[in-house]
mmCIF file of all heavy atoms in Angstrom:
data_model
loop_
_atom_site.group_PDB
_atom_site.id
_atom_site.type_symbol
_atom_site.label_atom_id
_atom_site.label_comp_id
_atom_site.label_asym_id
_atom_site.label_seq_id
_atom_site.Cartn_x
_atom_site.Cartn_y
_atom_site.Cartn_z
ATOM 1 N N ASN A 457 -17.322 20.952 -13.635
ATOM 2 C CA ASN A 457 -15.911 20.650 -13.369
ATOM 3 C C ASN A 457 -15.772 19.590 -12.289
ATOM 4 O O ASN A 457 -14.972 18.655 -12.419
ATOM 5 C CB ASN A 457 -15.177 21.928 -12.953
ATOM 6 C CG ASN A 457 -14.570 22.665 -14.134
ATOM 7 O OD1 ASN A 457 -13.699 22.145 -14.826
ATOM 8 N ND2 ASN A 457 -15.043 23.890 -14.371
ATOM 9 N N ASN A 458 -16.528 19.745 -11.216
ATOM 10 C CA ASN A 458 -16.481 18.754 -10.138
ATOM 11 C C ASN A 458 -16.941 17.388 -10.620
ATOM 12 O O ASN A 458 -16.371 16.356 -10.241
ATOM 13 C CB ASN A 458 -17.333 19.216 -8.958
ATOM 14 C CG ASN A 458 -16.615 20.249 -8.107
ATOM 15 O OD1 ASN A 458 -15.397 20.188 -7.947
ATOM 16 N ND2 ASN A 458 -17.356 21.211 -7.575
ATOM 17 N N GLN A 459 -18.001 17.371 -11.433
ATOM 18 C CA GLN A 459 -18.475 16.083 -11.965
ATOM 19 C C GLN A 459 -17.356 15.359 -12.704
ATOM 20 O O GLN A 459 -17.045 14.200 -12.410
ATOM 21 C CB GLN A 459 -19.641 16.318 -12.923
ATOM 22 C CG GLN A 459 -20.005 15.093 -13.768
ATOM 23 C CD GLN A 459 -20.820 15.426 -14.990
ATOM 24 O OE1 GLN A 459 -22.024 15.614 -14.885
ATOM 25 N NE2 GLN A 459 -20.184 15.510 -16.157
ATOM 26 N N PHE A 460 -16.743 16.020 -13.660
ATOM 27 C CA PHE A 460 -15.704 15.384 -14.464
ATOM 28 C C PHE A 460 -14.507 14.975 -13.609
ATOM 29 O O PHE A 460 -13.996 13.854 -13.712
ATOM 30 C CB PHE A 460 -15.253 16.326 -15.576
ATOM 31 C CG PHE A 460 -16.193 16.414 -16.735
ATOM 32 C CD1 PHE A 460 -16.515 17.644 -17.289
ATOM 33 C CD2 PHE A 460 -16.761 15.273 -17.289
ATOM 34 C CE1 PHE A 460 -17.374 17.733 -18.376
ATOM 35 C CE2 PHE A 460 -17.620 15.360 -18.373
ATOM 36 C CZ PHE A 460 -17.938 16.591 -18.915
ATOM 37 N N ASP A 461 -14.048 15.885 -12.760
ATOM 38 C CA ASP A 461 -12.830 15.613 -11.995
ATOM 39 C C ASP A 461 -13.018 14.448 -11.027
ATOM 40 O O ASP A 461 -12.119 13.615 -10.864
ATOM 41 C CB ASP A 461 -12.397 16.872 -11.238
ATOM 42 C CG ASP A 461 -11.939 17.982 -12.173
ATOM 43 O OD1 ASP A 461 -11.670 17.684 -13.354
ATOM 44 O OD2 ASP A 461 -11.870 19.145 -11.729
ATOM 45 N N LYS A 462 -14.182 14.373 -10.387
ATOM 46 C CA LYS A 462 -14.426 13.297 -9.421
ATOM 47 C C LYS A 462 -14.522 11.943 -10.122
ATOM 48 O O LYS A 462 -13.955 10.952 -9.651
ATOM 49 C CB LYS A 462 -15.702 13.580 -8.638
ATOM 50 C CG LYS A 462 -15.639 14.825 -7.759
ATOM 51 C CD LYS A 462 -14.587 14.693 -6.672
ATOM 52 C CE LYS A 462 -14.627 15.896 -5.728
ATOM 53 N NZ LYS A 462 -13.560 15.827 -4.688
ATOM 54 N N TRP A 463 -15.261 11.885 -11.228
ATOM 55 C CA TRP A 463 -15.374 10.619 -11.963
ATOM 56 C C TRP A 463 -14.003 10.170 -12.472
ATOM 57 O O TRP A 463 -13.638 8.996 -12.354
ATOM 58 C CB TRP A 463 -16.330 10.780 -13.145
ATOM 59 C CG TRP A 463 -17.780 10.611 -12.816
ATOM 60 C CD1 TRP A 463 -18.691 11.584 -12.556
ATOM 61 C CD2 TRP A 463 -18.503 9.376 -12.723
ATOM 62 N NE1 TRP A 463 -19.925 11.051 -12.310
ATOM 63 C CE2 TRP A 463 -19.843 9.698 -12.413
ATOM 64 C CE3 TRP A 463 -18.157 8.040 -12.888
ATOM 65 C CZ2 TRP A 463 -20.838 8.718 -12.258
ATOM 66 C CZ3 TRP A 463 -19.135 7.062 -12.736
ATOM 67 C CH2 TRP A 463 -20.447 7.401 -12.423
ATOM 68 N N TYR A 464 -13.248 11.117 -13.029
ATOM 69 C CA TYR A 464 -11.969 10.725 -13.619
ATOM 70 C C TYR A 464 -10.963 10.328 -12.539
ATOM 71 O O TYR A 464 -10.197 9.375 -12.703
ATOM 72 C CB TYR A 464 -11.406 11.862 -14.467
ATOM 73 C CG TYR A 464 -10.161 11.448 -15.221
ATOM 74 C CD1 TYR A 464 -10.237 10.594 -16.309
ATOM 75 C CD2 TYR A 464 -8.901 11.905 -14.825
ATOM 76 C CE1 TYR A 464 -9.094 10.196 -16.995
ATOM 77 C CE2 TYR A 464 -7.761 11.522 -15.499
ATOM 78 C CZ TYR A 464 -7.863 10.663 -16.584
ATOM 79 O OH TYR A 464 -6.734 10.261 -17.249
ATOM 80 N N GLU A 465 -10.974 11.050 -11.445
ATOM 81 C CA GLU A 465 -10.062 10.714 -10.351
ATOM 82 C C GLU A 465 -10.292 9.291 -9.857
ATOM 83 O O GLU A 465 -9.347 8.566 -9.539
ATOM 84 C CB GLU A 465 -10.252 11.714 -9.205
ATOM 85 C CG GLU A 465 -9.342 11.471 -8.006
ATOM 86 C CD GLU A 465 -9.596 12.469 -6.883
ATOM 87 O OE1 GLU A 465 -10.335 13.449 -7.109
ATOM 88 O OE2 GLU A 465 -9.058 12.260 -5.775
ATOM 89 N N LYS A 466 -11.530 8.864 -9.824
ATOM 90 C CA LYS A 466 -11.852 7.540 -9.289
ATOM 91 C C LYS A 466 -11.589 6.418 -10.294
ATOM 92 O O LYS A 466 -11.091 5.345 -9.926
ATOM 93 C CB LYS A 466 -13.317 7.497 -8.842
ATOM 94 C CG LYS A 466 -13.730 6.188 -8.167
ATOM 95 C CD LYS A 466 -15.130 6.281 -7.606
ATOM 96 C CE LYS A 466 -15.556 4.975 -6.943
ATOM 97 N NZ LYS A 466 -14.752 4.653 -5.739
ATOM 98 N N TYR A 467 -11.908 6.664 -11.583
ATOM 99 C CA TYR A 467 -11.888 5.555 -12.546
ATOM 100 C C TYR A 467 -10.809 5.661 -13.613
ATOM 101 O O TYR A 467 -10.500 4.653 -14.272
ATOM 102 C CB TYR A 467 -13.266 5.437 -13.219
ATOM 103 C CG TYR A 467 -14.334 5.028 -12.242
ATOM 104 C CD1 TYR A 467 -15.288 5.941 -11.785
ATOM 105 C CD2 TYR A 467 -14.392 3.725 -11.744
ATOM 106 C CE1 TYR A 467 -16.261 5.569 -10.884
ATOM 107 C CE2 TYR A 467 -15.359 3.345 -10.838
ATOM 108 C CZ TYR A 467 -16.295 4.278 -10.406
ATOM 109 O OH TYR A 467 -17.248 3.899 -9.495
ATOM 110 N N GLN A 468 -10.247 6.853 -13.847
ATOM 111 C CA GLN A 468 -9.174 7.003 -14.836
ATOM 112 C C GLN A 468 -9.572 6.420 -16.194
ATOM 113 O O GLN A 468 -8.802 5.695 -16.839
ATOM 114 C CB GLN A 468 -7.893 6.329 -14.329
ATOM 115 C CG GLN A 468 -7.334 6.931 -13.054
ATOM 116 C CD GLN A 468 -6.765 8.340 -13.263
ATOM 117 O OE1 GLN A 468 -5.885 8.532 -14.095
ATOM 118 N NE2 GLN A 468 -7.267 9.295 -12.507
ATOM 119 N N LYS A 469 -10.765 6.763 -16.624
ATOM 120 C CA LYS A 469 -11.261 6.307 -17.915
ATOM 121 C C LYS A 469 -11.748 7.506 -18.732
ATOM 122 O O LYS A 469 -12.179 8.508 -18.163
ATOM 123 C CB LYS A 469 -12.424 5.319 -17.738
ATOM 124 C CG LYS A 469 -12.039 4.018 -17.044
ATOM 125 C CD LYS A 469 -13.260 3.113 -16.866
ATOM 126 C CE LYS A 469 -12.863 1.820 -16.159
ATOM 127 N NZ LYS A 469 -14.034 0.916 -15.977
ATOM 128 N N PRO A 470 -11.676 7.398 -20.066
ATOM 129 C CA PRO A 470 -12.209 8.496 -20.888
ATOM 130 C C PRO A 470 -13.698 8.685 -20.621
ATOM 131 O O PRO A 470 -14.404 7.729 -20.280
ATOM 132 C CB PRO A 470 -11.934 8.053 -22.318
ATOM 133 C CG PRO A 470 -11.740 6.568 -22.242
ATOM 134 C CD PRO A 470 -11.158 6.295 -20.897
ATOM 135 N N MET A 471 -14.168 9.923 -20.801
ATOM 136 C CA MET A 471 -15.543 10.264 -20.449
ATOM 137 C C MET A 471 -16.259 10.924 -21.630
ATOM 138 O O MET A 471 -15.653 11.631 -22.434
ATOM 139 C CB MET A 471 -15.576 11.209 -19.242
ATOM 140 C CG MET A 471 -15.064 10.595 -17.952
ATOM 141 S SD MET A 471 -15.297 11.716 -16.541
ATOM 142 C CE MET A 471 -17.100 11.803 -16.462
ATOM 143 N N ILE A 472 -17.560 10.693 -21.673
ATOM 144 C CA ILE A 472 -18.446 11.371 -22.617
ATOM 145 C C ILE A 472 -19.573 12.029 -21.831
ATOM 146 O O ILE A 472 -20.163 11.397 -20.948
ATOM 147 C CB ILE A 472 -19.042 10.389 -23.646
ATOM 148 C CG1 ILE A 472 -17.952 9.808 -24.550
ATOM 149 C CG2 ILE A 472 -20.124 11.072 -24.499
ATOM 150 C CD1 ILE A 472 -18.453 8.745 -25.517
ATOM 151 N N GLN A 473 -19.829 13.302 -22.129
ATOM 152 C CA GLN A 473 -21.041 13.941 -21.615
ATOM 153 C C GLN A 473 -22.166 13.463 -22.527
ATOM 154 O O GLN A 473 -22.393 13.990 -23.608
ATOM 155 C CB GLN A 473 -20.925 15.462 -21.638
ATOM 156 C CG GLN A 473 -22.133 16.177 -21.054
ATOM 157 C CD GLN A 473 -22.221 16.060 -19.535
ATOM 158 O OE1 GLN A 473 -21.208 16.170 -18.844
ATOM 159 N NE2 GLN A 473 -23.428 15.839 -19.025
ATOM 160 N N SER A 474 -22.877 12.438 -22.060
ATOM 161 C CA SER A 474 -23.820 11.743 -22.926
ATOM 162 C C SER A 474 -25.182 12.416 -22.993
ATOM 163 O O SER A 474 -25.969 12.098 -23.894
ATOM 164 C CB SER A 474 -23.971 10.285 -22.482
ATOM 165 O OG SER A 474 -23.986 10.172 -21.076
#
Side-chain angles (χ1 to χ4, degrees):
N457 269 298
N458 281 325
Q459 167 199 280
F460 283 136
D461 293 344
K462 295 297 185 183
W463 276 97
Y464 186 73
E465 180 182 350
K466 184 173 179 65
Y467 294 106
Q468 298 291 303
K469 296 178 180 180
M471 294 186 65
I472 295 175
Q473 183 72 42
S474 40

